[in-house]
Amino acid sequence: MAPHTKTTARIRHDEHCARWDVFEIELDGPSHGNPFTDVDLGATFSDGRREQRAGGFYDGDGKYLIRFMPDAEGPWTFVTSSTARSLDGIAGRFLAGPAAPEHHGPVRVADRHHFAYADGTRYLPIGTTAYAWTHQVERLRAATRRTLASSYFNKIRMCLLPKSYAYNTDEPELYPFPGSPTDSWDTTRFDPRFFRRFEDEVRALRELGIEADVILFHPYDRWGFAELGREADDRLTRYAVRRLSALSNVWWSMANEYDLVRAKTEADWERLAGIVAEEDPFGHLASIHNCFSFYDHTTPWITHCSIQRVDVYRTAENTDTWRELWGKPVVIDECGYEGDIDQGWGNLTSEELVRRCWEGAVRGGYVQHGETYLNDAEELWWSKGGRLTGTSPERIAFLHGVIRDSPTGVLDPLPSDWDAPRGGIQGTYEVIYFGLSRPRFRNISVPADERFAIDVIDTWAMTVDRVGITTGSSVRVELPGRPYMAVRLSRLPDQTEAGTHASVLT
Amino acid sequence: MAPHTKTTARIRHDEHCARWDVFEIELDGPSHGNPFTDVDLGATFSDGRREQRAGGFYDGDGKYLIRFMPDAEGPWTFVTSSTARSLDGIAGRFLAGPAAPEHHGPVRVADRHHFAYADGTRYLPIGTTAYAWTHQVERLRAATRRTLASSYFNKIRMCLLPKSYAYNTDEPELYPFPGSPTDSWDTTRFDPRFFRRFEDEVRALRELGIEADVILFHPYDRWGFAELGREADDRLTRYAVRRLSALSNVWWSMANEYDLVRAKTEADWERLAGIVAEEDPFGHLASIHNCFSFYDHTTPWITHCSIQRVDVYRTAENTDTWRELWGKPVVIDECGYEGDIDQGWGNLTSEELVRRCWEGAVRGGYVQHGETYLNDAEELWWSKGGRLTGTSPERIAFLHGVIRDSPTGVLDPLPSDWDAPRGGIQGTYEVIYFGLSRPRFRNISVPADERFAIDVIDTWAMTVDRVGITTGSSVRVELPGRPYMAVRLSRLPDQTEAGTHASVLT
């Protein structure tokens, strides 16, 4: 425990914190009245070069917390400020050490249309969705954690607030506010247990190397949480962001299907996004997800496009257009889910979901996973989490191996034939995807004056066959006459022999 | 032979002709100079109520022909007119008898978005494409005829002029003009053998009950036939239409991929369409087929929309929109072909082509067949005809059985869920198609206050299972969790017992 001079409040914090980990200050303070609204609190942190202000929050039982994510190694100092005299002006210090080897900091936009961790390590979103998983019982939450731990996913979309929707009608154990569904809610207070559970799960994800795309608002509601009114919305947003923003793996999704949240206008979303920006000193990624019509993705606070399907069949095919239109990364969070439920968004074959992932990938974007297989327990992954039974995840991981093989670690759209999109790095690494087409051969244009290895990739069977080396401007590639094939051209160093530099796919 | 009084020219014709069959007048006339351009000829026909004028043409060797398709039974008279004195003013008569039982007359637009034969019999276009089949050797042409004779197809798209394109590079045996590919063409004359062969094949199709969608111009050319110039184009069009229009099964397609015929402008197409209208007294169906951009389908001479794919995946899904836009039948002649060639338009799986046919059908349109499987002989059906090896034709025929089961014999688009188009006759016969979706069940809204039989249709396996009778406003239908399923609701007469009126599919 660090010593301090003020006598007004007890303060506890660690003296060390890893870079991008959570540094937490705990203060004892007033518990009379309504501490959630009566007391404001925060601290200004400095590493001697910059100052950052983090808001604090009441965690119940007379305990106040301020959380901070140091983004640089070295000594940091802080001083609190508060409307409560006993919490004001308390100074302290800690030392930020190196990040744990597996921690790379928060994800940022990189190269305009892609992502990287703060330490520069490339990040490819391999996301899935389990909207209400944190609101399930521990048995299910543990199953979700186990599933994620053994999966390839490095991002999950999840709702802060409980969800009421088809296949998710159970009453949650905890609610954000004191009260009950049969009575009323005191929206001027929060139930810290609800938030602790949520942030424990976000922390668990962080340990698994998984980004938490936290959805702040959504329309799937029977408790009134989708129409709290402006003041309660603002309080909830501020409270949630102050609790969560020091977790490096948090992304902000202002809403799922914002346009179905009827009680909120664009002015509301802008105001709430302003609160997020104000209360998040770490600049986490932020987006807002549509149902029918896109939010204006040129809006400055939006870091990347979080997109829902725009057509029964054709969505991922728009990826390159949307990149150009908005100049931001395109993440298609809901392109339809692998499953077999009654709804058209939730009964894709694995083949079709994987196809959509490839269509988006070769156009320089990121189509995400979801799974909605009916089961007797009504535990559909997309909502409650639990177990995955589909066959698309390993194929999505295979796709990301092909992306990672690129010299830049990403694919960008390249000039393409009308029927076979090409992505990669022009003249160096080019991937041509054939989708539903099933040619028995294809004449493929090759960048001139270099040696290229030619691989035939079966994106469904997950095989890569090196079929030859070419130096010409066009090469005829024999193909098996099945859908879901790709051809990859990888530039070889001079004098490299065929076959000795086989591409590594993970 | 009918007697006549003029001594100037010998005339030969039959005294009888079946309704909608070809009545042909043969005249001996001048053979000096250039009879193709020096002599104009025609005849005015009358059944006592109406007059129709048919143009004649020079068939070589001093022989002139005038062809006519009587559209009514009873006595007809005619009198010729000509710029050649010896062919002018020759009168005659014949008796039109009943049509052969299997002949229903030319196909017309019916019910705004559909078709019927002239005798009112419903016609559903079940079309295929073999562009250059009439330009192949007899062995191949005979194979094509045999294939068609044993197929379900009742329409074929075929080019009048020889075709030069991938998989079709052989030199034809005959050309429309005297001359040679290595020398030059005399476009002021025609080679009647070329036209005789073509019309013999159209006649053979007629005997098979197959409509010939005759493509007058196209861009696939190495002989200069795509850029003959205005006068030769006009002569060719006039000559071809005069030769062919008395065949009841002819449709006019002004062009395939008109927008790739660079030498022609919209003014040219309008002028040529005007010649067709002028020279075709029988008002055959007429269209013009696009590559990249549609011709203005509101143009009066266009009877129906002949459409090519507008997207790699999504074309048939536009059918209902196009119906509304243009108020005409929508025939998607090229939505992609079942096959495995290198080109994206020619390597669809059978499943995908059949899916497109259904997507168009439930939206009230007609998606047509084509086949492009590679083979060693380079005899691809879509170009040369020959043999069919794919699996879509029987499934397309099955689809048409479902359409024919409708009380009106057609499907029109109905209000639909976003993910499952519904077509049919509202409140009577409704077909819901699930496409790539694979629900394990579906709650389906049912028109109220009537009894409906519910059939689950596997459009790929070609099975129809009657799963129940319902009277409610919604019914839960169990489905197998496979793609390509449909559900059909058929209104039952009062008091009909379940299962006793099982639908008949052919």
Side-chain angles (χ1 to χ4, degrees):
Chain A
M1 293 295 126
H4 57 91
T5 51
K6 286 261 269 195
T7 54
T8 39
R10 271 171 71 112
I11 179 170
R12 290 174 293 281
H13 62 80
D14 290 338
E15 295 190 17
H16 292 89
C17 178
R19 188 185 184 192
W20 296 312
D21 211 337
V22 181
F23 174 75
E24 186 174 87
I25 302 166
E26 186 182 316
L27 298 139
D28 294 334
S31 57
H32 57 273
N34 182 350
F36 292 102
T37 53
D38 295 348
V39 176
D40 195 15
L41 168 72
T44 302
F45 292 81
S46 174
D47 65 351
R49 294 182 298 278
R50 298 159 300 143
E51 288 194 344
Q52 284 176 292
R53 182 179 162 79
F57 57 91
Y58 186 60
D59 194 41
D61 300 323
K63 199 169 71 179
Y64 291 79
L65 301 176
I66 304 169
R67 291 173 178 161
F68 184 73
M69 180 188 75
D71 65 0
E73 293 179 42
W76 286 80
T77 59
F78 66 84
V79 57
T80 67
S81 61
S82 178
T83 54
R85 205 172 179 286
S86 67
L87 300 173
D88 188 56
I90 304 172
R93 62 177 58 239
F94 69 97
L95 188 66
E102 68 278 15
H103 284 167
H104 304 287
V107 173
R108 311 296 192 194
V109 171
D111 308 318
R112 188 175 179 95
H113 293 114
H114 301 287
F115 300 96
Y117 293 102
D119 73 354
T121 303
R122 178 65 73 189
Y123 173 80
L124 301 177
I126 312 179
T128 186
T129 289
Y131 286 127
W133 81 274
T134 68
H135 306 295
Q136 309 305 314
V137 295
E138 169 58 21
R139 172 190 64 78
L140 253 177
R141 298 203 311 280
T144 305
R145 277 181 240 114
R146 280 194 303 273
T147 299
L148 290 171
S150 64
S151 82
Y152 302 95
F153 295 114
N154 63 13
K155 168 175 171 291
I156 187 167
R157 276 177 75 74
M158 49 197 273
C159 295
L160 172 67
L161 297 170
K163 180 187 171 194
S164 176
Y165 199 72
Y167 306 110
N168 193 76
T169 55
D170 302 342
E171 206 59 34
E173 291 175 325
L174 297 170
Y175 299 95
F177 308 109
S180 85
T182 53
D183 188 13
S184 66
W185 306 107
D186 179 359
T187 64
T188 69
R189 298 168 194 265
F190 299 101
D191 184 343
R193 296 173 305 166
F194 173 91
F195 290 91
R196 270 182 229 129
R197 174 179 288 181
F198 188 83
E199 66 207 23
D200 283 349
E201 299 298 12
V202 173
R203 206 173 281 118
L205 294 173
R206 183 173 183 274
E207 292 313 303
L208 295 172
I210 295 173
E211 304 296 302
D213 198 0
V214 175
I215 298 165
L216 293 174
F217 294 95
H218 62 71
Y220 329 114
D221 176 55
R222 65 172 180 267
W223 305 280
F225 302 155
E227 41 189 17
L228 293 167
R230 173 178 167 156
E231 288 179 14
D233 280 345
D234 290 3
R235 277 193 302 268
L236 173 66
T237 303
R238 202 174 297 275
Y239 190 76
V241 174
R242 286 185 175 195
R243 291 198 73 115
L244 288 164
S245 65
L247 284 156
S248 61
N249 62 324
V250 162
W251 302 18
W252 306 118
S253 179
M254 292 307 303
N256 214 52
E257 300 191 322
Y258 82 91
D259 44 343
L260 299 189
V261 185
R262 307 292 183 196
K264 290 186 182 49
T265 64
E266 187 180 325
D268 290 318
W269 296 119
E270 287 298 308
R271 192 188 69 252
L272 292 166
I275 292 171
V276 171
E278 184 187 330
E279 298 294 350
D280 169 12
F282 313 112
H284 289 289
L285 294 171
S287 67
I288 183 165
H289 185 75
N290 67 293
C291 178
F292 295 113
S293 58
F294 294 126
Y295 204 88
D296 177 2
H297 282 140
T298 62
T299 307
W301 61 261
I302 295 179
T303 55
H304 64 284
C305 313
S306 168
I307 283 177
Q308 176 165 170
R309 179 199 65 250
V310 296
D311 181 72
V312 177
Y313 299 106
R314 195 186 185 290
T315 292
E317 293 75 8
N318 298 313
T319 299
D320 47 339
T321 304
W322 288 331
R323 277 172 43 124
E324 287 304 307
L325 187 60
W326 295 313
K328 295 179 180 179
V330 171
V331 181
I332 302 179
D333 281 300
E334 186 187 336
C335 205
Y337 305 130
E338 180 185 351
D340 59 5
I341 61 169
D342 52 323
Q343 304 293 315
W345 46 261
N347 55 32
L348 299 186
T349 60
S350 177
E351 288 88 340
E352 178 63 9
L353 178 55
V354 174
R355 182 186 76 74
R356 294 178 188 196
C357 290
W358 274 84
E359 296 283 1
V362 293
R363 292 173 173 89
Y366 302 96
V367 178
Q368 308 290 286
H369 169 267
E371 182 178 297
T372 46
Y373 281 105
L374 284 177
N375 55 48
D376 292 340
E378 216 174 75
E379 290 173 3
L380 281 63
W381 170 263
W382 132 91
S383 195
K384 294 183 181 174
R387 293 194 320 124
L388 283 167
T389 59
T391 58
S392 61
E394 59 186 313
R395 292 175 171 85
I396 294 170
F398 174 82
L399 160 61
H400 285 84
V402 174
I403 300 176
R404 273 195 301 271
D405 262 6
S406 155
T408 60
V410 295
L411 303 183
D412 287 302
L414 298 178
S416 302
D417 296 340
W418 71 272
D419 59 338
R422 188 183 289 224
I425 310 303
Q426 194 151 24
T428 302
Y429 186 88
E430 306 194 359
V431 179
I432 301 116
Y433 179 60
F434 294 102
L436 287 180
S437 291
R438 51 159 184 182
R440 287 247 308 272
F441 74 93
R442 181 82 171 196
N443 295 314
I444 289 175
S445 63
V446 179
D449 299 328
E450 300 280 356
R451 284 159 46 85
F452 283 86
I454 303 158
D455 295 319
V456 170
I457 300 177
D458 185 327
T459 71
W460 179 250
M462 298 181 284
T463 58
V464 181
D465 290 324
R466 175 138 310 177
V467 297
I469 304 285
T470 187
T471 52
S473 62
S474 175
V475 61
R476 177 182 161 117
V477 178
E478 303 301 320
L479 292 161
R482 291 193 301 273
Y484 313 127
M485 302 301 296
V487 169
R488 177 170 62 175
L489 308 174
S490 307
R491 196 175 70 194
L492 295 172
D494 290 344
Q495 309 308 323
T496 301
E497 283 308 306
T500 59
H501 284 250
S503 169
V504 177
L505 291 175
T506 57
Chain B
M1 293 294 125
H4 58 92
T5 52
K6 286 264 279 204
T7 55
T8 40
R10 270 173 72 111
I11 179 170
R12 290 175 294 279
H13 63 79
D14 290 340
E15 294 190 18
H16 292 89
C17 179
R19 187 184 187 194
W20 295 313
D21 211 337
V22 181
F23 174 77
E24 186 174 88
I25 302 167
E26 187 181 316
L27 297 140
D28 294 334
S31 59
H32 56 273
N34 183 352
F36 293 101
T37 52
D38 296 347
V39 175
D40 195 15
L41 169 70
T44 301
F45 293 81
S46 175
D47 64 352
R49 294 182 299 278
R50 297 159 301 144
E51 288 195 343
Q52 285 177 292
R53 181 178 164 77
F57 57 91
Y58 186 61
D59 195 41
D61 301 322
K63 197 169 71 180
Y64 292 78
L65 300 176
I66 304 169
R67 290 174 178 159
F68 185 72
M69 180 188 75
D71 64 0
E73 293 178 43
W76 286 80
T77 59
F78 66 82
V79 58
T80 67
S81 60
S82 178
T83 54
R85 203 170 177 288
S86 66
L87 299 173
D88 188 55
I90 304 172
R93 61 178 58 241
F94 70 97
L95 188 65
E102 68 279 14
H103 284 167
H104 304 286
V107 173
R108 311 297 192 194
V109 171
D111 308 317
R112 188 176 179 92
H113 294 113
H114 302 286
F115 299 96
Y117 292 102
D119 74 353
T121 303
R122 177 66 72 189
Y123 173 80
L124 301 177
I126 312 180
T128 186
T129 289
Y131 286 126
W133 81 273
T134 67
H135 306 295
Q136 308 306 313
V137 296
E138 169 57 21
R139 172 190 64 79
L140 251 177
R141 299 204 311 280
T144 305
R145 277 181 240 113
R146 280 195 303 274
T147 298
L148 289 171
S150 64
S151 81
Y152 301 96
F153 295 114
N154 63 13
K155 168 176 173 289
I156 187 166
R157 275 178 75 74
M158 48 196 275
C159 296
L160 172 67
L161 298 170
K163 179 187 173 196
S164 175
Y165 199 72
Y167 306 109
N168 192 77
T169 55
D170 302 343
E171 207 58 36
E173 293 175 325
L174 297 170
Y175 300 94
F177 308 107
S180 85
T182 52
D183 189 11
S184 66
W185 307 107
D186 178 359
T187 65
T188 68
R189 298 170 192 264
F190 299 100
D191 184 344
R193 297 173 303 163
F194 174 90
F195 291 91
R196 269 183 230 128
R197 176 179 289 182
F198 188 83
E199 65 207 23
D200 282 349
E201 298 298 12
V202 174
R203 206 173 282 118
L205 294 174
R206 183 173 182 273
E207 293 313 305
L208 296 171
I210 296 172
E211 304 296 303
D213 198 0
V214 174
I215 298 164
L216 293 174
F217 294 95
H218 62 72
Y220 329 114
D221 176 56
R222 65 172 180 266
W223 305 279
F225 301 154
E227 41 190 16
L228 294 168
R230 173 177 166 156
E231 287 179 15
D233 280 345
D234 291 2
R235 277 193 300 268
L236 174 65
T237 302
R238 203 174 297 276
Y239 190 76
V241 174
R242 287 184 175 196
R243 290 197 73 115
L244 289 163
S245 66
L247 284 155
S248 61
N249 62 324
V250 161
W251 301 18
W252 306 118
S253 179
M254 291 307 304
N256 214 51
E257 301 191 322
Y258 81 92
D259 44 342
L260 299 189
V261 185
R262 306 294 183 195
K264 290 187 181 49
T265 64
E266 189 182 322
D268 290 318
W269 295 118
E270 287 298 309
R271 192 188 69 255
L272 292 166
I275 292 171
V276 171
E278 184 186 330
E279 297 295 349
D280 169 12
F282 314 111
H284 289 289
L285 295 171
S287 67
I288 183 165
H289 184 75
N290 66 293
C291 178
F292 296 113
S293 58
F294 295 126
Y295 205 87
D296 177 2
H297 281 141
T298 62
T299 306
W301 61 261
I302 296 179
T303 55
H304 64 285
C305 312
S306 168
I307 283 178
Q308 177 167 171
R309 179 199 66 251
V310 296
D311 180 73
V312 178
Y313 298 107
R314 195 185 184 290
T315 291
E317 293 76 7
N318 298 313
T319 299
D320 48 339
T321 303
W322 288 331
R323 278 173 41 125
E324 287 304 308
L325 186 60
W326 295 313
K328 295 179 180 178
V330 171
V331 181
I332 301 178
D333 281 301
E334 185 188 336
C335 204
Y337 305 130
E338 180 185 351
D340 59 3
I341 61 169
D342 52 322
Q343 304 294 315
W345 46 260
N347 54 32
L348 298 186
T349 60
S350 176
E351 288 88 340
E352 178 62 9
L353 178 56
V354 174
R355 182 187 75 75
R356 294 179 188 197
C357 291
W358 274 83
E359 297 282 1
V362 293
R363 292 174 174 89
Y366 301 95
V367 178
Q368 308 291 285
H369 169 268
E371 182 178 297
T372 46
Y373 280 106
L374 284 177
N375 54 48
D376 291 341
E378 216 173 74
E379 291 173 3
L380 281 63
W381 170 263
W382 132 90
S383 193
K384 295 184 181 173
R387 293 194 319 124
L388 283 168
T389 59
T391 58
S392 61
E394 59 185 315
R395 291 173 172 86
I396 294 169
F398 174 82
L399 160 62
H400 285 85
V402 174
I403 301 176
R404 273 194 300 271
D405 261 4
S406 155
T408 60
V410 295
L411 303 183
D412 287 302
L414 298 178
S416 302
D417 295 340
W418 70 272
D419 59 339
R422 189 182 289 223
I425 310 304
Q426 195 151 23
T428 303
Y429 186 88
E430 306 194 0
V431 179
I432 301 118
Y433 179 60
F434 293 101
L436 286 180
S437 291
R438 51 157 184 184
R440 287 248 306 273
F441 75 93
R442 182 81 170 195
N443 295 313
I444 288 174
S445 63
V446 179
D449 300 328
E450 300 281 357
R451 284 158 46 84
F452 282 87
I454 303 158
D455 295 319
V456 170
I457 300 176
D458 186 327
T459 70
W460 179 251
M462 298 180 282
T463 58
V464 180
D465 291 324
R466 177 138 308 177
V467 297
I469 304 286
T470 187
T471 52
S473 62
S474 176
V475 61
R476 178 182 161 118
V477 178
E478 302 301 321
L479 292 161
R482 290 193 302 272
Y484 313 127
M485 303 301 298
V487 169
R488 176 170 61 175
L489 308 174
S490 306
R491 197 175 68 194
L492 294 172
D494 290 344
Q495 310 308 323
T496 301
E497 283 308 304
T500 59
H501 282 250
S503 169
V504 177
L505 292 174
T506 55

